[in-house]
Each structure stands twice: as C-alpha cells, then as structure tokens.
Amino acid sequence: RATHVQVQKVMASNARPALCQLYAGDQKLWPRLLWKKGDDLRRDMLAEIFFEIFNTIWAKSFDVGDVEPVLTYQVLPLEGKVGFIEWVE
C-alpha cells in the first residue's frame, strides 16, 4: 500500500503529465506511473487490451521467435479525463 507519492518530473507537453514514484514508507513501489489529465484514457486502455489479445493469438499461431510480441503497458483511467499510465523503462 502506497504511503506517499513523489513527483519526479513534469513533462513539457500541453497536458503536462507528471512522472510519479509511489512509496510504502521508504520502499519504492514498482512501476513508476505517469499521471495524466485532459485525455480520455479509456481508449488507450482498450488499445492495450487489443495488443495483449493479438500477442496471445500470435504466440499460438507462429513458432517461438518468429514474431516479436508487442510491448504493452497498463492504463488506469479514472473519473473524467484523468488517469495513470504505467511508465515503461
């Protein structure tokens, strides 16, 4: 359970998303998250779900190593146009 949040960077785009690190006491929780407002992240979440489905289909349809899976990340839309996106290193 997170006890506090550290904003590590605010991006220079118009929406000014913030890269956040969650902590439990002095222990970092993984992964870092991008807090974003102004976009409907439900569409992003659906796109990631489709990528995960395609990865599963491709893995079952081709020999191992023939097709590289699409890198996916988690999206957590909240109320309105606010939400979190998993930060991929």
Side-chain angles (χ1 to χ4, degrees):
R1 183 178 102 177
T3 58
H4 65 282
V5 177
Q6 176 190 34
V7 175
Q8 296 181 326
K9 181 178 182 178
V10 176
M11 308 302 171
S13 70
N14 288 339
R16 302 193 43 79
L19 180 60
C20 302
Q21 178 68 61
L22 304 178
Y23 288 88
D26 61 352
Q27 181 77 24
K28 286 183 184 179
L29 299 177
W30 191 258
R32 293 191 295 172
L33 300 171
L34 190 66
W35 177 79
K36 195 169 181 186
K37 65 178 180 176
D39 285 333
D40 185 354
L41 295 179
R42 294 175 296 180
R43 290 179 293 189
D44 297 68
M45 182 182 70
L46 287 174
E48 290 305 311
I49 290 169
F50 279 114
F51 287 142
E52 290 172 3
I53 291 168
F54 291 140
N55 280 341
T56 302
I57 292 168
W58 290 330
K60 292 179 180 181
S61 300
F62 297 98
D63 290 333
V64 175
D66 286 349
V67 177
E68 287 290 321
V70 175
L71 178 64
T72 61
Y73 51 88
Q74 299 299 308
V75 179
L76 178 62
L78 301 175
E79 182 178 316
K81 293 186 175 184
V82 175
F84 290 98
I85 300 173
E86 176 184 14
W87 185 259
V88 178
E89 300 290 336

